[in-house]
Amino acid sequence: MRRLGHHRLHGKAGGGVGTKGMVAKLSIGVIVLLICTLSLLFSFNIGGNPEPSRPSKINVEELWESADSGGWRPSSAPRSDWPRISLGAFQACIDDKITFAAPTKETNGYLRVRCNGGLNQQRSAICNAVLAARIMNATLVLPELDANSFWHDASGFQGIYDVEHFIETLKYDVKIVGKIPDVHKNGKTKKIKAFQIRPPRDAPIDWYLTTALKAMKEHSAIYLTPFSHRLAEEIDNPEYQRLRCRVNYHALRFKPHIMKLSESIVDKLRSQGHFMSIHLRFEMDMLAFAGCFDIFNPEEQKILRKYRKENFAEKRLIYNERRAIGKCPLTPEEVGLILRAMRFDNSTRIYLAAGELFGGERFMSPFRTLFPRLDNHSSVDPSEELSANSQGLIGSAVDYMVCLLSDIFMPTYDGPSNFANNLLGHRLYYGFRTTIRPDRKALAPVFIAREKGKTAGFEEAVRRVMLKTNFGGPHKRVSPESFYTNSWPECFCQMNPKKASDKCPPDNVVEILESRLESVGDSDSTSQTNSTVAGLER
């Protein structure tokens, strides 16, 4: 099935070229190219009539289905052998493939980390923690989730994630314990105190193999805090990146009651047909961060400026400039206008994943008028558990799962939003599920012109912008797009690849890993899982 995405307008150029030499040919070519370029630039006429010969079309029925995979499928399993190797050693010399070894019995020490931020920032930090432990050949202590910096929620790792599943899934990659054990020697018990280090932001692998590893060997354990964005995302090692995907998309599974609650909400929403989820990031913290104040009344502006001063670095921000470059979150009304221009009708069922919207019903009313069938987790399932934790980690976890499983997902501010970015990456991995990603910078002049009364051709202009976006299919990762937003091609493979490195691993990869693990002590891994879970339950 042919899908939308990355469409470009192509003009027709004709006319013969006389045989007056190469210079003449080149001159004509340059002129034609210039004319086509100018034509493209001026065809985007907000206030005028759209180009009649090239109507834009968006097939809504196609958008309810997954995007075209192009023959790719998700795969984060290792694509090379896993022989046992010496402590901390990694080689890349077997058939020009990276050898990714199973964890050895002995490690260099213990790694503790404190993952700060919201649920999804913490999720990325957990992925980095597992990779850091692998790089240093360290035993990972179950990551700590900061209860104070964002949610004021003390649920912790074991209150949100399935610990036993986490340890079992990663047993080929790292050793994991619930806490640093005491050392018993000569009839005495000694506690190991982890040496605290503040890692640099986006630290390279070399930092972990030098500074961090040296401290670990000296103190037997290190405590890295804070641990948000403390390991470089772009690493020239596909197996390292696939390990991140194994953590993010396989090992990190929410606890059974959260999964059951999420599935119940999805079933209720889908009982009446397709549904779309929208991350409506029109909240005080993001608006203050973006510096987008002018659309609010004086009292609201005062609140936003106060919040910004208390939480972000001082910076001169001009609303019109911020909006023109796409730095302001879309308003609820703008979201509704985009969907209407794309030909979604008012029967579309929409699930809203959002905190408390700043400005309240004054901003929601225009959106609700366009799309009245709006829900959130509280309206679909007003259970006591969600009511008590609607803005905490559990509420965020439920929103995450509903958005992951929805037919279409639309983030309204995916720049610095960890929630949106992680979901975009997870939906890509989950089978190229459709996403609608508005290009705020390209849409800004369209909306500004509409606000000035130039409404002719508005919806056509919106469609032209949206047709140039990607709707969830495989695409090259380009900065500033995050690896957690787009793990293609490292975490995907092809059954009929053009390149050997893109070939899918064997279907019995788990059996192969089990046999390899036997040589390094499978029983140790099993007892590790059981003892860790038991220790957490005490």
Side-chain angles (χ1 to χ4, degrees), residues 219-505:
H219 299 278
S220 299
I222 59 173
Y223 181 35
L224 303 183
T225 178
F227 200 71
S228 170
H229 305 290
R230 302 296 157 165
L231 177 58
E233 279 192 20
E234 293 299 329
I235 296 176
D236 189 21
N237 186 324
E239 293 295 0
Y240 282 175
Q241 300 292 52
R242 281 190 275 273
L243 174 54
R244 277 173 160 158
C245 290
R246 286 199 291 283
V247 181
N248 206 5
Y249 308 134
H250 296 280
L252 283 174
R253 185 171 71 187
F254 295 121
K255 290 183 76 69
H257 72 283
I258 296 176
M259 298 294 284
K260 185 177 180 180
L261 189 57
S262 304
E263 289 165 6
S264 172
I265 291 175
V266 170
D267 288 343
K268 290 176 182 177
L269 290 167
R270 193 161 281 142
S271 65
Q272 300 180 39
H274 295 299
F275 79 96
M276 174 192 303
S277 62
I278 297 179
H279 185 219
L280 202 54
R281 199 67 168 95
F282 200 72
E283 298 154 326
M284 180 169 64
D285 64 329
M286 192 56 68
L287 289 164
F289 170 80
C292 301
F293 306 149
D294 289 27
I295 59 175
F296 298 100
N297 63 40
E299 185 60 30
E300 290 168 338
Q301 289 190 34
K302 183 178 178 181
I303 294 171
L304 289 172
R305 293 183 193 283
K306 181 176 183 293
Y307 187 93
R308 178 171 179 84
K309 185 176 181 180
E310 293 173 351
N311 293 277
F312 304 110
E314 186 176 347
K315 187 177 181 180
R316 184 172 178 268
L317 301 173
I318 301 174
Y319 170 72
N320 291 338
E321 294 178 359
R322 301 289 289 172
R323 190 184 185 194
I325 59 175
K327 295 298 183 181
C328 288
L330 294 171
T331 67
E333 182 181 21
E334 288 171 342
V335 173
L337 291 171
I338 291 170
L339 293 177
R340 189 176 68 177
M342 293 178 69
R343 299 289 191 253
F344 287 96
D345 61 39
N346 63 2
S347 69
T348 304
R349 192 162 194 184
I350 296 175
Y351 178 89
L352 295 178
E356 184 177 352
L357 265 66
F358 193 75
E361 189 60 26
R362 177 162 56 93
F363 285 94
M364 273 302 298
S365 182
F367 184 32
R368 201 184 305 278
T369 300
L370 292 169
F371 294 93
R373 300 184 69 193
L374 301 179
D375 283 298
N376 58 28
H377 58 230
S378 298
S379 64
V380 181
D381 191 328
S383 64
E384 184 177 339
E385 181 177 20
L386 271 179
S387 298
N389 204 303
S390 63
Q391 300 301 321
L393 289 174
I394 293 176
S396 182
V398 169
D399 275 347
Y400 185 94
M401 286 307 304
V402 175
C403 289
L404 174 63
L405 298 172
S406 63
D407 299 294
I408 297 174
F409 172 61
M410 180 181 182
T412 61
Y413 196 58
D414 56 323
S417 172
N418 294 292
F419 182 94
N421 287 335
N422 278 17
L423 266 169
L424 289 168
H426 207 154
R427 288 177 63 87
L428 194 76
Y429 190 87
Y430 196 60
F432 303 105
R433 299 176 76 83
T434 298
T435 57
I436 296 174
R437 300 177 67 179
D439 183 341
R440 295 187 305 278
K441 183 177 180 180
L443 286 167
V446 183
F447 284 118
I448 292 170
R450 179 180 179 274
E451 290 161 12
K452 293 179 179 178
K454 298 178 181 179
T455 57
F458 168 76
E459 291 195 351
E460 180 68 15
V462 170
R463 283 193 292 274
R464 287 185 181 279
V465 172
M466 296 306 298
L467 278 167
K468 296 177 183 178
T469 64
N470 181 280
F471 287 93
H475 60 282
K476 185 177 179 181
R477 185 170 65 251
V478 178
S479 181
E481 192 173 35
S482 162
F483 175 79
Y484 292 107
T485 303
N486 179 10
S487 60
W488 185 89
E490 294 93 335
C491 295
F492 295 82
C493 66
Q494 287 184 309
M495 298 306 295
N496 298 301
K498 294 180 180 179
K499 296 192 301 182
S501 59
D502 294 333
K503 184 178 180 181
C504 289

